[in-house]
Coordinates of all heavy atoms in Angstrom, one line a residue:
V77 N -9.7 15.8 -8.1 CA -10.0 15.5 -6.7 C -11.4 16.0 -6.4 O -12.1 15.4 -5.6 CB -8.9 16.2 -5.8 CG1 -9.3 16.1 -4.4 CG2 -7.5 15.6 -6.1
Q78 N -11.8 17.1 -7.0 CA -13.2 17.6 -6.7 C -14.2 16.6 -7.0 O -15.2 16.4 -6.3 CB -13.5 18.9 -7.4 CG -12.7 20.1 -6.9 CD -13.1 20.4 -5.5 OE1 -14.2 20.1 -5.0 NE2 -12.2 21.0 -4.7
M79 N -14.1 15.9 -8.2 CA -15.0 14.8 -8.5 C -15.0 13.7 -7.5 O -16.1 13.2 -7.2 CB -14.6 14.2 -9.9 CG -14.9 15.1 -11.1 SD -16.7 15.1 -11.5 CE -17.0 13.4 -11.9
L80 N -13.9 13.3 -7.0 CA -13.8 12.3 -6.0 C -14.5 12.7 -4.7 O -15.1 11.9 -4.0 CB -12.4 11.9 -5.6 CG -11.6 11.2 -6.8 CD1 -10.1 11.1 -6.4 CD2 -12.2 9.9 -7.1
R81 N -14.5 14.0 -4.4 CA -15.1 14.5 -3.2 C -16.6 14.6 -3.2 O -17.3 14.4 -2.3 CB -14.6 15.9 -2.8 CG -13.1 15.9 -2.4 CD -12.7 17.4 -2.1 NE -11.3 17.4 -1.7 CZ -10.5 18.4 -2.0 NH1 -10.9 19.4 -2.7 NH2 -9.2 18.3 -1.7
H82 N -17.1 14.9 -4.4 CA -18.6 15.2 -4.5 C -19.4 14.5 -5.6 O -20.6 14.4 -5.5 CB -18.8 16.7 -4.6 CG -18.1 17.5 -3.5 ND1 -18.6 17.4 -2.2 CD2 -17.1 18.3 -3.5 CE1 -17.8 18.2 -1.5 NE2 -16.9 18.7 -2.2
G83 N -18.7 14.1 -6.7 CA -19.5 13.8 -7.9 C -19.5 12.4 -8.3 O -19.8 12.1 -9.5
I84 N -19.3 11.4 -7.4 CA -19.2 10.0 -7.8 C -20.4 9.3 -7.4 O -21.0 9.4 -6.3 CB -17.9 9.3 -7.2 CG1 -16.7 10.0 -7.6 CG2 -17.9 7.9 -7.5 CD1 -16.3 9.9 -9.1
H85 N -20.9 8.4 -8.4 CA -22.0 7.5 -8.1 C -21.4 6.1 -8.3 O -20.7 5.8 -9.3 CB -23.2 7.7 -9.1 CG -24.0 8.9 -8.8 ND1 -23.5 10.2 -8.9 CD2 -25.3 9.0 -8.3 CE1 -24.5 11.0 -8.5 NE2 -25.6 10.3 -8.2
L86 N -21.8 5.2 -7.5 CA -21.4 3.8 -7.7 C -22.7 2.9 -7.6 O -23.5 3.2 -6.7 CB -20.4 3.3 -6.6 CG -19.0 3.8 -6.7 CD1 -18.1 3.3 -5.5 CD2 -18.4 3.6 -8.0
D87 N -22.8 2.0 -8.4 CA -24.0 1.1 -8.5 C -25.3 2.0 -8.5 O -26.3 1.7 -7.9 CB -24.1 0.2 -7.2 CG -22.8 -0.6 -7.1 OD1 -22.3 -1.1 -8.1 OD2 -22.4 -0.8 -5.9
D88 N -25.2 3.0 -9.4 CA -26.4 4.0 -9.6 C -26.8 4.7 -8.3 O -28.0 5.1 -8.2 CB -27.5 3.2 -10.2 CG -27.2 2.8 -11.6 OD1 -26.5 3.5 -12.3 OD2 -27.6 1.6 -12.0
R89 N -26.0 4.8 -7.3 CA -26.3 5.5 -6.1 C -25.2 6.5 -5.8 O -24.0 6.2 -5.9 CB -26.4 4.5 -4.9 CG -27.6 3.5 -5.1 CD -27.8 2.7 -3.9 NE -26.5 2.2 -3.3 CZ -26.4 1.3 -2.4 NH1 -27.5 0.7 -1.9 NH2 -25.2 0.9 -2.0
P90 N -25.5 7.7 -5.3 CA -24.5 8.6 -4.9 C -23.8 8.2 -3.7 O -24.3 7.6 -2.8 CB -25.3 9.9 -4.7 CG -26.7 9.5 -4.3 CD -26.9 8.2 -5.0
L91 N -22.5 8.5 -3.6 CA -21.7 8.3 -2.4 C -21.8 9.4 -1.5 O -21.9 10.6 -1.9 CB -20.2 8.1 -2.8 CG -19.9 6.9 -3.7 CD1 -18.4 6.9 -4.1 CD2 -20.2 5.6 -3.0
K92 N -21.6 9.2 -0.2 CA -21.5 10.2 0.8 C -20.2 11.0 0.5 O -19.2 10.4 0.0 CB -21.5 9.7 2.2 CG -22.8 9.1 2.6 CD -22.8 8.6 4.0 CE -24.1 8.1 4.4 NZ -24.1 7.6 5.8
P93 N -20.2 12.3 0.8 CA -18.9 13.0 0.5 C -17.7 12.4 1.2 O -17.8 11.9 2.3 CB -19.2 14.4 1.1 CG -20.7 14.5 1.1 CD -21.2 13.1 1.3
A94 N -16.6 12.4 0.5 CA -15.3 11.9 1.1 C -14.3 13.0 1.1 O -14.3 13.9 0.3 CB -14.8 10.8 0.2
D95 N -13.5 13.0 2.1 CA -12.3 13.9 2.2 C -11.2 13.3 1.4 O -10.8 12.2 1.7 CB -11.9 14.1 3.6 CG -12.9 14.8 4.5 OD1 -13.7 15.5 4.0 OD2 -12.8 14.6 5.7
V96 N -10.8 14.0 0.3 CA -9.7 13.5 -0.5 C -8.7 14.6 -0.7 O -9.1 15.7 -1.1 CB -10.3 13.0 -1.9 CG1 -9.2 12.5 -2.8 CG2 -11.4 12.0 -1.8
D97 N -7.5 14.3 -0.4 CA -6.4 15.3 -0.6 C -5.2 14.7 -1.2 O -4.9 13.5 -0.9 CB -6.1 15.9 0.8 CG -7.2 16.7 1.4 OD1 -7.6 17.7 0.8 OD2 -7.7 16.3 2.4
W98 N -4.4 15.4 -1.9 CA -3.1 15.0 -2.4 C -2.1 15.0 -1.3 O -2.0 16.0 -0.6 CB -2.6 15.9 -3.6 CG -3.4 15.6 -4.9 CD1 -4.4 16.4 -5.4 CD2 -3.2 14.6 -5.8 NE1 -4.8 15.9 -6.6 CE2 -4.1 14.8 -6.8 CE3 -2.3 13.5 -5.8 CZ2 -4.2 13.9 -7.9 CZ3 -2.4 12.6 -6.9 CH2 -3.3 12.8 -7.9
I99 N -1.4 13.9 -1.1 CA -0.3 13.9 -0.2 C 1.0 14.3 -0.8 O 1.8 15.1 -0.3 CB -0.1 12.4 0.4 CG1 -1.3 12.0 1.2 CG2 1.2 12.3 1.2 CD1 -1.3 10.6 1.7
N100 N 1.2 13.9 -2.1 CA 2.3 14.3 -2.9 C 1.8 14.1 -4.4 O 0.7 13.9 -4.6 CB 3.6 13.6 -2.6 CG 3.5 12.1 -2.7 OD1 2.9 11.5 -3.7 ND2 4.0 11.3 -1.8
D101 N 2.8 14.2 -5.3 CA 2.4 14.0 -6.7 C 1.8 12.7 -7.1 O 1.1 12.5 -8.1 CB 3.6 14.3 -7.7 CG 4.0 15.8 -7.6 OD1 3.2 16.6 -7.2 OD2 5.1 16.1 -8.0
L102 N 2.0 11.7 -6.3 CA 1.6 10.3 -6.6 C 0.6 9.7 -5.7 O 0.1 8.6 -5.9 CB 2.8 9.4 -6.7 CG 3.8 9.7 -7.8 CD1 5.1 8.8 -7.6 CD2 3.2 9.6 -9.2
Q103 N 0.3 10.4 -4.5 CA -0.5 9.7 -3.5 C -1.6 10.6 -3.1 O -1.5 11.8 -2.9 CB 0.4 9.4 -2.2 CG 1.4 8.4 -2.5 CD 2.3 8.2 -1.2 OE1 2.6 9.2 -0.5 NE2 2.6 7.0 -0.9
L104 N -2.8 10.0 -2.9 CA -4.0 10.6 -2.3 C -4.3 10.0 -1.0 O -4.0 8.9 -0.7 CB -5.2 10.3 -3.3 CG -5.2 11.0 -4.6 CD1 -6.3 10.5 -5.5 CD2 -5.4 12.5 -4.4
R105 N -4.9 10.8 -0.1 CA -5.4 10.4 1.2 C -7.0 10.5 1.1 O -7.5 11.5 0.8 CB -4.9 11.2 2.3 CG -5.3 10.7 3.7 CD -5.0 11.7 4.7 NE -6.1 12.7 4.6 CZ -6.3 13.7 5.4 NH1 -5.4 13.9 6.4 NH2 -7.3 14.5 5.3
F106 N -7.6 9.4 1.5 CA -9.1 9.3 1.5 C -9.6 9.2 2.9 O -9.0 8.3 3.6 CB -9.6 8.1 0.7 CG -9.5 8.2 -0.8 CD1 -8.3 8.1 -1.5 CD2 -10.7 8.5 -1.5 CE1 -8.3 8.2 -2.8 CE2 -10.6 8.6 -2.9 CZ -9.4 8.4 -3.6
I107 N -10.6 9.9 3.3 CA -11.4 9.6 4.5 C -12.8 9.4 4.1 O -13.4 10.3 3.6 CB -11.2 10.8 5.5 CG1 -9.8 11.0 5.9 CG2 -12.1 10.5 6.8 CD1 -9.6 12.2 6.8
L108 N -13.3 8.2 4.3 CA -14.6 7.8 3.8 C -15.6 7.8 5.0 O -15.2 7.5 6.1 CB -14.6 6.4 3.2 CG -13.7 6.2 2.0 CD1 -13.8 4.7 1.6 CD2 -14.0 7.1 0.9
R109 N -16.8 8.1 4.7 CA -17.9 8.1 5.7 C -18.8 6.8 5.5 O -19.7 6.5 6.2 CB -18.8 9.3 5.5 CG -18.1 10.6 5.5 CD -17.9 11.2 6.9 NE -17.3 12.4 7.0 CZ -16.0 12.8 6.6 NH1 -15.3 11.9 6.0 NH2 -15.5 14.0 6.9
Q110 N -18.5 6.1 4.5 CA -19.1 4.8 4.2 C -18.1 3.9 3.4 O -17.1 4.5 3.0 CB -20.4 5.0 3.4 CG -20.1 5.4 1.9 CD -21.3 5.7 1.1 OE1 -21.5 6.9 0.9 NE2 -22.1 4.8 0.8
G111 N -18.4 2.7 3.4 CA -17.4 1.8 2.6 C -18.2 0.8 1.8 O -18.9 -0.1 2.3
R112 N -18.1 1.0 0.5 CA -18.7 0.0 -0.4 C -17.6 -0.9 -1.0 O -16.5 -0.5 -1.0 CB -19.4 0.8 -1.6 CG -20.6 1.6 -1.1 CD -21.7 1.7 -2.1 NE -22.6 2.7 -1.8 CZ -23.2 3.5 -2.6 NH1 -23.0 3.4 -3.9 NH2 -24.1 4.4 -2.2
F113 N -18.0 -1.9 -1.6 CA -17.1 -2.9 -2.2 C -16.1 -2.2 -3.1 O -16.5 -1.6 -4.1 CB -17.9 -4.0 -2.9 CG -17.0 -5.0 -3.5 CD1 -16.4 -6.0 -2.8 CD2 -16.9 -5.1 -4.9 CE1 -15.6 -6.9 -3.4 CE2 -16.1 -6.1 -5.5 CZ -15.5 -7.0 -4.7
R114 N -14.8 -2.3 -2.8 CA -13.7 -1.8 -3.6 C -14.0 -0.3 -3.9 O -13.6 0.2 -5.0 CB -13.5 -2.6 -4.8 CG -13.1 -4.0 -4.5 CD -12.9 -4.9 -5.7 NE -11.9 -4.4 -6.7 CZ -10.6 -4.7 -6.6 NH1 -10.2 -5.4 -5.6 NH2 -9.8 -4.2 -7.5
Q115 N -14.5 0.5 -3.0 CA -15.0 1.8 -3.2 C -13.9 2.7 -3.7 O -14.0 3.5 -4.7 CB -15.6 2.4 -2.0 CG -16.1 3.9 -2.2 CD -16.9 4.4 -1.0 OE1 -17.4 3.6 -0.2 NE2 -16.9 5.7 -0.9
I116 N -12.7 2.8 -3.1 CA -11.7 3.7 -3.5 C -11.2 3.3 -4.8 O -11.0 4.2 -5.7 CB -10.5 3.7 -2.4 CG1 -11.0 4.4 -1.1 CG2 -9.3 4.4 -3.0 CD1 -10.1 4.4 0.0
R117 N -10.9 2.1 -5.1 CA -10.5 1.7 -6.4 C -11.5 2.0 -7.5 O -11.1 2.5 -8.6 CB -10.2 0.1 -6.5 CG -9.0 -0.3 -5.6 CD -8.8 -1.8 -5.7 NE -7.8 -2.2 -4.8 CZ -6.5 -2.1 -4.9 NH1 -6.0 -1.6 -6.0 NH2 -5.7 -2.5 -4.0
R118 N -12.7 1.8 -7.2 CA -13.8 2.2 -8.2 C -13.9 3.7 -8.4 O -14.2 4.1 -9.5 CB -15.1 1.5 -7.8 CG -15.0 0.0 -7.9 CD -16.2 -0.7 -7.2 NE -17.4 -0.4 -7.8 CZ -18.6 -0.6 -7.3 NH1 -18.7 -1.0 -6.0 NH2 -19.7 -0.2 -7.9
M119 N -13.8 4.4 -7.3 CA -13.9 5.9 -7.4 C -12.8 6.4 -8.3 O -13.0 7.2 -9.2 CB -13.8 6.5 -6.0 CG -15.0 6.4 -5.2 SD -14.7 6.9 -3.5 CE -14.5 8.7 -3.7
C120 N -11.6 5.9 -8.1 CA -10.4 6.4 -8.9 C -10.6 6.0 -10.3 O -10.2 6.8 -11.2 CB -9.1 5.8 -8.3 SG -8.7 6.6 -6.7
E121 N -11.0 4.8 -10.6 CA -11.2 4.4 -11.9 C -12.2 5.3 -12.7 O -12.0 5.6 -13.9 CB -11.8 2.9 -11.9 CG -12.0 2.3 -13.3 CD -12.5 0.9 -13.2 OE1 -11.7 0.0 -12.8 OE2 -13.7 0.7 -13.5
E122 N -13.2 5.8 -12.0 CA -14.2 6.7 -12.6 C -13.6 8.0 -13.1 O -14.1 8.6 -14.0 CB -15.3 7.0 -11.6 CG -16.3 5.9 -11.4 CD -17.2 5.7 -12.6 OE1 -17.7 6.7 -13.1 OE2 -17.5 4.5 -12.9
V123 N -12.5 8.4 -12.4 CA -11.9 9.7 -12.8 C -10.6 9.5 -13.6 O -9.8 10.4 -13.7 CB -11.7 10.6 -11.6 CG1 -13.1 11.0 -11.1 CG2 -10.8 10.1 -10.6
G124 N -10.3 8.2 -14.0 CA -9.1 7.9 -14.8 C -7.8 7.8 -14.0 O -6.7 7.9 -14.5
L125 N -7.9 7.5 -12.7 CA -6.7 7.2 -11.9 C -6.6 5.7 -11.6 O -7.6 5.0 -11.5 CB -6.8 7.9 -10.5 CG -6.9 9.4 -10.6 CD1 -7.1 10.0 -9.2 CD2 -5.6 10.0 -11.2
K126 N -5.4 5.2 -11.5 CA -5.1 3.8 -11.3 C -4.5 3.7 -9.8 O -3.6 4.4 -9.5 CB -4.1 3.3 -12.3 CG -3.7 1.8 -12.1 CD -2.7 1.4 -13.0 CE -2.3 -0.1 -12.7 NZ -1.2 -0.5 -13.5
V127 N -5.1 2.8 -9.1 CA -4.7 2.5 -7.7 C -3.6 1.4 -7.8 O -4.0 0.3 -8.3 CB -5.8 2.1 -6.8 CG1 -5.3 1.7 -5.4 CG2 -6.8 3.2 -6.7
E128 N -2.4 1.6 -7.4 CA -1.4 0.6 -7.3 C -1.2 0.0 -6.0 O -1.0 -1.2 -5.8 CB -0.1 1.1 -7.9 CG -0.2 1.5 -9.3 CD 1.2 1.9 -9.9 OE1 2.2 1.8 -9.2 OE2 1.2 2.4 -11.0
V129 N -1.3 0.8 -4.9 CA -1.2 0.3 -3.5 C -2.3 1.1 -2.7 O -2.5 2.3 -2.9 CB 0.2 0.7 -3.0 CG1 0.3 0.3 -1.5 CG2 1.3 0.0 -3.8
L130 N -2.9 0.3 -1.9 CA -4.0 0.8 -1.0 C -3.7 0.4 0.4 O -3.5 -0.8 0.6 CB -5.3 0.4 -1.5 CG -6.6 0.9 -0.9 CD1 -6.6 2.5 -1.0 CD2 -7.8 0.3 -1.5
Q131 N -3.7 1.3 1.4 CA -3.4 0.9 2.7 C -4.4 1.5 3.7 O -4.6 2.8 3.6 CB -2.0 1.4 3.1 CG -1.6 1.1 4.6 CD -0.3 1.6 5.0 OE1 0.4 2.4 4.2 NE2 0.2 1.3 6.1
R132 N -5.1 0.7 4.4 CA -6.0 1.2 5.4 C -5.3 1.5 6.7 O -4.5 0.6 7.2 CB -7.1 0.2 5.7 CG -8.1 0.6 6.8 CD -9.2 -0.4 7.0 NE -10.1 -0.3 5.8 CZ -11.2 -1.0 5.7 NH1 -11.6 -1.8 6.6 NH2 -12.0 -0.9 4.6
V133 N -5.4 2.7 7.3 CA -4.6 3.0 8.4 C -5.5 3.1 9.7 O -5.0 3.1 10.8 CB -3.8 4.3 8.3 CG1 -2.8 4.2 7.2 CG2 -4.8 5.5 7.9
R134 N -6.8 3.3 9.5 CA -7.7 3.3 10.7 C -9.1 3.0 10.3 O -9.5 3.1 9.1 CB -7.7 4.6 11.4 CG -8.4 5.7 10.7 CD -8.3 7.0 11.5 NE -9.4 7.9 11.0 CZ -9.4 9.2 11.2 NH1 -8.5 9.8 11.9 NH2 -10.4 9.9 10.8
I135 N -9.9 2.6 11.2 CA -11.3 2.3 11.1 C -12.0 3.2 12.2 O -11.8 2.9 13.4 CB -11.7 0.9 11.2 CG1 -11.0 0.0 10.1 CG2 -13.2 0.7 11.1 CD1 -11.2 -1.4 10.3
G136 N -12.7 4.2 11.8 CA -13.2 5.2 12.8 C -12.0 5.8 13.6 O -11.1 6.3 12.9
N137 N -12.0 5.7 14.9 CA -10.9 6.2 15.7 C -9.9 5.1 16.0 O -8.9 5.4 16.8 CB -11.4 6.8 16.9 CG -12.0 8.2 16.7 OD1 -11.7 8.8 15.7 ND2 -12.9 8.6 17.5
L138 N -10.1 3.9 15.5 CA -9.2 2.8 15.8 C -8.0 2.8 14.9 O -8.2 2.5 13.7 CB -9.9 1.5 15.8 CG -11.1 1.3 16.7 CD1 -11.8 0.0 16.5 CD2 -10.6 1.4 18.2
M139 N -6.8 3.1 15.4 CA -5.6 3.1 14.5 C -5.1 1.7 14.3 O -5.0 1.0 15.3 CB -4.5 4.0 15.2 CG -4.9 5.5 15.3 SD -5.4 6.3 13.8 CE -3.8 6.3 12.9
L140 N -4.8 1.3 13.1 CA -4.4 0.0 12.8 C -2.9 -0.2 12.8 O -2.5 -1.4 12.8 CB -5.0 -0.4 11.4 CG -6.5 -0.3 11.3 CD1 -7.0 -0.7 9.9 CD2 -7.2 -1.2 12.4
G141 N -2.1 0.8 12.8 CA -0.7 0.6 12.7 C -0.3 0.0 11.4 O -0.9 0.2 10.4
R142 N 0.8 -0.7 11.4 CA 1.2 -1.4 10.2 C 1.0 -2.9 10.2 O 2.0 -3.6 10.5 CB 2.7 -1.0 9.9 CG 2.9 0.4 9.7 CD 4.3 0.7 9.0 NE 4.5 2.0 8.7 CZ 4.1 2.5 7.5 NH1 3.6 1.8 6.6 NH2 4.3 3.8 7.2
L143 N -0.2 -3.3 10.0 CA -0.5 -4.7 10.1 C -0.1 -5.4 8.8 O -0.3 -4.8 7.7 CB -2.0 -4.9 10.2 CG -2.6 -4.5 11.5 CD1 -4.1 -4.7 11.5 CD2 -2.1 -5.3 12.7
A144 N 0.5 -6.5 8.9 CA 0.9 -7.3 7.7 C -0.4 -7.9 7.1 O -1.3 -8.1 7.8 CB 1.9 -8.4 8.1
P145 N -0.4 -8.3 5.8 CA -1.5 -9.0 5.3 C -1.8 -10.2 6.1 O -1.0 -11.0 6.4 CB -1.1 -9.3 3.8 CG 0.0 -8.3 3.5 CD 0.7 -8.0 4.8
G146 N -3.1 -10.4 6.4 CA -3.6 -11.5 7.2 C -3.4 -11.4 8.7 O -3.9 -12.2 9.5
Q147 N -2.7 -10.3 9.1 CA -2.6 -10.1 10.6 C -3.8 -9.4 11.1 O -4.5 -8.7 10.4 CB -1.3 -9.3 10.8 CG -0.9 -9.1 12.2 CD 0.4 -8.3 12.4 OE1 0.8 -7.6 11.5 NE2 1.0 -8.4 13.5
W148 N -4.1 -9.5 12.4 CA -5.2 -8.8 13.0 C -4.8 -8.2 14.4 O -3.7 -8.5 14.9 CB -6.4 -9.8 13.2 CG -6.1 -10.9 14.2 CD1 -6.3 -10.8 15.5 CD2 -5.6 -12.1 13.9 NE1 -6.0 -12.0 16.1 CE2 -5.5 -12.8 15.2 CE3 -5.1 -12.8 12.8 CZ2 -5.0 -14.1 15.3 CZ3 -4.6 -14.1 12.9 CH2 -4.6 -14.7 14.1
M149 N -5.7 -7.4 14.9 CA -5.4 -6.8 16.2 C -6.6 -7.1 17.1 O -7.7 -7.3 16.6 CB -5.3 -5.3 16.0 CG -4.1 -4.8 15.3 SD -4.1 -3.0 15.1 CE -3.7 -2.5 16.7
T150 N -6.4 -7.1 18.4 CA -7.5 -7.1 19.3 C -7.7 -5.8 20.0 O -6.7 -5.0 20.1 CB -7.2 -8.2 20.4 OG1 -6.0 -7.9 21.1 CG2 -7.2 -9.6 19.8
F151 N -8.9 -5.4 20.3 CA -9.2 -4.2 20.9 C -9.9 -4.4 22.2 O -10.7 -5.4 22.3 CB -10.1 -3.3 20.0 CG -9.4 -2.9 18.7 CD1 -9.5 -3.5 17.5 CD2 -8.5 -1.8 18.8 CE1 -8.9 -3.2 16.4 CE2 -7.8 -1.4 17.6 CZ -8.0 -2.1 16.4
T152 N -9.8 -3.5 23.1 CA -10.5 -3.7 24.4 C -12.0 -3.2 24.2 O -12.3 -2.5 23.2 CB -9.9 -2.8 25.5 OG1 -10.0 -1.4 25.1 CG2 -8.4 -3.1 25.7
M153 N -12.9 -3.6 25.0 CA -14.2 -3.1 24.9 C -14.3 -1.6 25.0 O -15.1 -0.9 24.3 CB -15.1 -3.7 26.1 CG -16.6 -3.4 25.9 SD -17.3 -3.9 24.3 CE -17.3 -5.7 24.5
E154 N -13.5 -1.0 25.8 CA -13.4 0.5 25.9 C -13.1 1.1 24.6 O -13.6 2.2 24.2 CB -12.5 0.9 27.0 CG -12.9 0.6 28.5 CD -12.7 -0.9 28.8 OE1 -11.8 -1.5 28.2 OE2 -13.4 -1.4 29.7
E155 N -12.1 0.6 23.9 CA -11.7 1.1 22.6 C -12.9 1.0 21.6 O -13.1 1.9 20.9 CB -10.5 0.4 22.1 CG -9.2 0.7 22.8 CD -8.1 -0.2 22.4 OE1 -8.3 -1.5 22.3 OE2 -7.0 0.3 22.1
L156 N -13.6 -0.1 21.6 CA -14.7 -0.3 20.7 C -15.8 0.6 21.0 O -16.4 1.2 20.1 CB -15.1 -1.8 20.7 CG -14.1 -2.8 20.1 CD1 -14.6 -4.2 20.3 CD2 -13.7 -2.5 18.7
V157 N -16.2 0.7 22.3 CA -17.3 1.6 22.7 C -16.9 3.0 22.4 O -17.8 3.8 21.9 CB -17.6 1.4 24.2 CG1 -18.6 2.4 24.7 CG2 -18.2 0.0 24.4
G158 N -15.7 3.4 22.7 CA -15.3 4.8 22.4 C -15.4 5.1 20.9 O -15.8 6.1 20.5
D159 N -15.1 4.1 20.0 CA -15.3 4.3 18.6 C -16.7 4.4 18.2 O -17.0 5.2 17.4 CB -14.6 3.1 17.8 CG -14.6 3.3 16.3 OD1 -14.1 4.4 15.9 OD2 -15.2 2.5 15.6
L160 N -17.6 3.7 18.8 CA -19.0 3.8 18.5 C -19.6 5.2 18.8 O -20.4 5.7 18.1 CB -19.8 2.7 19.2 CG -19.6 1.3 18.8 CD1 -20.3 0.3 19.7 CD2 -20.0 1.1 17.3
E161 N -19.0 5.8 19.9 CA -19.5 7.1 20.3 C -19.1 8.1 19.3 O -19.7 9.2 19.1 CB -18.9 7.5 21.7 CG -19.6 6.6 22.8 CD -18.9 6.8 24.1 OE1 -17.9 7.6 24.2 OE2 -19.3 6.1 25.1
W162 N -18.0 7.9 18.5 CA -17.5 8.8 17.5 C -18.5 8.9 16.3 O -18.6 10.0 15.8 CB -16.1 8.3 17.0 CG -15.5 9.1 16.0 CD1 -14.9 10.3 16.1 CD2 -15.4 8.8 14.5 NE1 -14.4 10.8 14.9 CE2 -14.7 9.9 14.0 CE3 -15.9 7.8 13.8 CZ2 -14.5 9.9 12.6 CZ3 -15.7 7.8 12.4 CH2 -15.0 8.9 11.8
H163 N -19.2 7.9 16.0 CA -20.1 7.9 14.9 C -21.3 8.7 15.3 O -22.2 8.9 15.3 CB -20.5 6.5 14.4 CG -19.3 5.7 13.9 ND1 -18.7 6.0 12.7 CD2 -18.6 4.7 14.5 CE1 -17.7 5.1 12.5 NE2 -17.6 4.4 13.6

């Protein structure tokens, strides 16, 4: 997990630090500060872990709930502006 937090390079560039913690013996929780193409899958591959299921639960402060594949949500302008202030 320490390598995932600090020591990963993708595309010959270092990644910003990520918060990575074990949820249980089989699951990790990632909080990213940036998002590169297939970043979590590629990070795990670098340290010998296989991703079987990946679920995005929020983007910034916007909670996504349990969206089905292909489903989307609408947000109010206040929700979007509030999220921008978080960054």
Side-chain angles (χ1 to χ4, degrees):
V77 173
Q78 288 298 334
M79 285 285 296
L80 293 171
R81 290 179 182 146
H82 304 291
I84 301 292
H85 284 69
L86 292 179
D87 305 323
D88 295 322
R89 296 186 316 191
L91 296 175
K92 291 183 180 179
D95 293 335
V96 183
D97 295 297
W98 286 101
I99 294 174
N100 58 43
D101 290 342
L102 299 174
Q103 294 178 320
L104 289 168
R105 184 191 81 176
F106 285 76
I107 299 176
L108 302 179
R109 307 273 181 299
Q110 70 186 108
R112 294 209 194 147
F113 179 71
R114 298 177 60 87
Q115 179 174 338
I116 291 176
R117 292 182 189 278
R118 293 168 62 199
M119 288 172 66
C120 288
E121 184 178 289
E122 285 288 317
V123 297
L125 297 173
K126 180 182 176 187
V127 175
E128 293 185 10
V129 176
L130 187 59
Q131 179 182 8
R132 179 177 287 185
V133 295
R134 75 179 197 198
I135 300 173
N137 286 334
L138 300 174
M139 299 302 293
L140 301 177
R142 296 199 174 267
L143 293 175
Q147 189 179 18
W148 67 88
M149 295 177 71
T150 57
F151 294 98
T152 66
M153 186 57 71
E154 290 78 22
E155 289 171 314
L156 295 174
V157 170
D159 185 57
L160 291 176
E161 292 172 1
W162 179 77
H163 295 286

